[in-house]
DNA sequence: TGACGCTCGATTGGATCCATTGTGCGTCAT
DNA sequence: ATGACGCACAATGGATCCAATCGAGCGTCA
């Protein structure tokens, strides 16, 4: 075995690549929270042995996407409402800072792009494209600052709540959309004027409002989704 | 080889244990920033093979304590002034939140303990005990809240700047001590009164002042400490 | 004499094999 | 029939071995 086609120059170890692919799969919803992940499956699916597979699982665990129990196995992380709110509270403090650092660096063209994204979001009615555009909008606000650690931290927080944003959007799609769209345009406006304080304020209340709205629908977190202790992985 | 004395029940994989020991060593200053870390050394020193050693290095990398370059090696992370200030900016936003969540949960006895720590710090003149007490003081403020992710994030930030707090304290020990002690007592006072807003304010300005003071001494970061590309690990 | 290129050594990355552990099922006794 | 005990299987953890890669030092040539 081990065909090793080498069809692509591999930059970085295989564990990193496997982790990236697995991360994408989890974020895409292929593995919902609570899903058991077996090392051998990961290895087989991504063309590697169990060593880099295990490496990838440990990596994703440190990002909070996976929970590894010693000598037992790995599961996609499940969050309860309290943990989800915690993440939103952290975001409420961190993202305004990150946005502030980006304000003086964003070009007018980039702000135009954000405006376009905000409008495109209003027109979208598909859940997946909405999720994608929302993520794209917010993360595009953060591309210019060179603060790597802050950026990474925020990215991890987004990733950890991704399944729950999907669940929420799927069920209560139209609920807070009006406010969200309004706030996005307020952010664009503040960015255009270079008003960092206003941008911070709007973003903070945007995240806060989302958190409160989420808290109003705890039923999303009810189903622990049948945790097979040692059984299948789908 | 592989004596496997099993003198202690091991909870969790060896990689986790090795990572913990290595982390302690880095925080203790045994491996200063820029030090090369070879897998085989780690394995030998901690009684394991290179597999868990590598696992430990990847773990510490995800915590930001170590930088792993593919097919090349691992080094203890070096920060420049900008990166250090970034961490302090993040802490300035996160720790007040974490403190606020703890305010209603801290018992009067715990606040007394904090007060004792603050006083003990004033009397200490040894760098290492000062560092230890300072860390102890701040982290003891955060023990009660059940917000695991926030707590972990803050802990990682502390760990990443540890070598630079040590360097700063070693060189400019007496500089900002007066202000720091004053602020610690203000925090204790706010905690005693259960005044979350005031506690937040004081802590934020405490961290901010520390950051500004650090920025006034960029010479700490000057020495990249001779990065041996493939040489010794001491 | 300096710059380029090549080879060799050292070190990391990965695959396979073996040990360990936890789970589930079957059996037996009550 | 039900509970507890024990055995067998399956999945993880770790060690060793082999391959791949990078760096350094040396030699050659301009």
């Amino acid at each position: 075995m081990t065909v090793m086609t080498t069809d692509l120059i591999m930059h970085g170890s295989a564990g990193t690549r496997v982790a990236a692919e697995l991360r994408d799969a989890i974020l895409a919803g292929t593995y919902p929270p609570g899903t058991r992940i077996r090392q051998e499956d990961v290895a087989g699916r991504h063309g590697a042995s169990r060593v880099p597979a295990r490496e990838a699982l440990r990596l994703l665990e440190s990002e909070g996407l996976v929970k590894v129990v010693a000598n037992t196995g790995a599961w996609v992380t499940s969050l309860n409402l309290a943990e989800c709110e915690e993440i939103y509270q952290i975001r409420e403090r961190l993202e305004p800072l990150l946005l502030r650092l980006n304000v003086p660096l964003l070009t007018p063209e980039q702000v135009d792009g954000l405006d376009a994204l905000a409008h495109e979001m209003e027109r979208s009615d598909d859940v997946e494209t909405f999720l994608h555009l929302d993520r794209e909008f917010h993360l595009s606000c953060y591309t210019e600052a060179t603060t790597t650690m802050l950026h990474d931290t925020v990215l991890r927080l987004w990733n950890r709540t991704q399944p729950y944003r999907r669940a929420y959007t799927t069920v209560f799609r139209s609920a807070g959309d009006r406010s969200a769209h309004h706030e996005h345009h307020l952010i664009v406006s503040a960015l255009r004027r270079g008003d960092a304080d206003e941008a911070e304020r709007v973003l903070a209340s945007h995240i806060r409002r989302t958190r409160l709205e989420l808290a109003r629908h705890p039923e999303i977190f009810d189903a622990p989704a049948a945790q097979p202790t040692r059984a299948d992985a789908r």
Side-chain angles (χ1 to χ4, degrees), chain A:
Chain A
M1 202 150 301
T2 310
V3 187
M4 189 47 94
T5 47
T6 316
D7 33 16
L8 187 54
I9 318 145
M10 192 183 334
H11 208 60
S13 60
T16 312
R17 177 181 57 83
V18 173
E21 295 173 10
L22 231 183
R23 186 187 302 116
D24 287 344
I26 292 176
L27 294 182
T30 310
Y31 304 92
T35 307
R36 169 76 185 273
I37 305 181
R38 284 192 305 240
Q39 295 180 3
E40 201 136 16
D41 286 353
V42 176
R45 254 193 264 279
H46 298 90
S49 89
R50 272 178 47 225
V51 174
R54 185 177 162 200
E55 200 180 295
L57 288 175
R58 302 309 271 251
L59 263 177
L60 296 184
E61 182 184 36
S62 78
E63 296 178 14
L65 287 180
V66 161
K67 172 72 183 165
V68 175
V69 181
N71 286 317
T72 303
W75 287 263
V76 178
T77 304
S78 294
L79 296 183
N80 55 37
L81 173 57
E83 292 165 330
C84 222
E85 283 198 84
E86 185 186 337
I87 291 183
Y88 275 84
Q89 278 186 297
I90 300 175
R91 285 185 48 198
E92 193 179 327
R93 301 273 181 147
L94 284 192
E95 291 197 34
L97 169 62
L98 181 52
L99 183 59
R100 161 179 294 275
L101 297 175
N102 275 272
V103 167
L105 304 173
L106 288 168
T107 67
E109 291 74 26
Q110 287 175 306
V111 178
D112 288 342
L114 288 170
D115 199 22
L117 279 172
H119 278 105
E120 198 176 344
M121 244 172 84
E122 290 186 83
R123 290 194 305 272
S124 84
D125 53 354
D126 175 45
V127 172
E128 288 303 324
T129 55
F130 177 86
L131 281 177
H132 176 73
L133 290 173
D134 189 35
R135 184 184 167 107
E136 187 76 11
F137 176 85
H138 283 282
L139 296 186
S140 294
C141 295
Y142 308 144
T143 54
E144 290 309 301
T146 55
T147 55
T148 321
M149 298 172 259
L150 180 52
H151 197 276
D152 284 1
T153 306
V154 167
L155 196 61
R156 289 185 181 192
L157 295 174
W158 269 82
N159 288 349
R160 295 190 66 166
T161 54
Q162 172 91 346
Y164 302 96
R165 284 207 315 285
R166 172 174 290 113
Y168 178 85
T169 309
T170 305
V171 184
F172 305 97
R173 192 169 6 153
S174 54
D177 285 10
R178 298 290 278 269
S179 315
H181 293 143
H182 181 58
E183 286 154 358
H184 284 179
H185 285 297
L186 285 181
I187 291 173
V188 169
S189 162
L191 291 180
R192 224 185 276 283
R193 298 194 316 271
D195 188 341
D197 289 329
E198 173 70 3
E200 273 208 41
R201 267 194 300 273
V202 177
L203 180 56
S205 63
H206 175 57
I207 298 173
R208 177 181 171 78
R209 192 188 51 70
T210 309
R211 167 169 66 87
L212 296 178
E213 199 143 334
L214 199 70
R216 220 175 289 130
H217 299 285
E219 63 270 24
I220 291 180
F221 300 90
D222 283 346
Q227 287 202 12
T229 45
R230 208 113 192 231
D232 59 12
R234 63 172 328 173

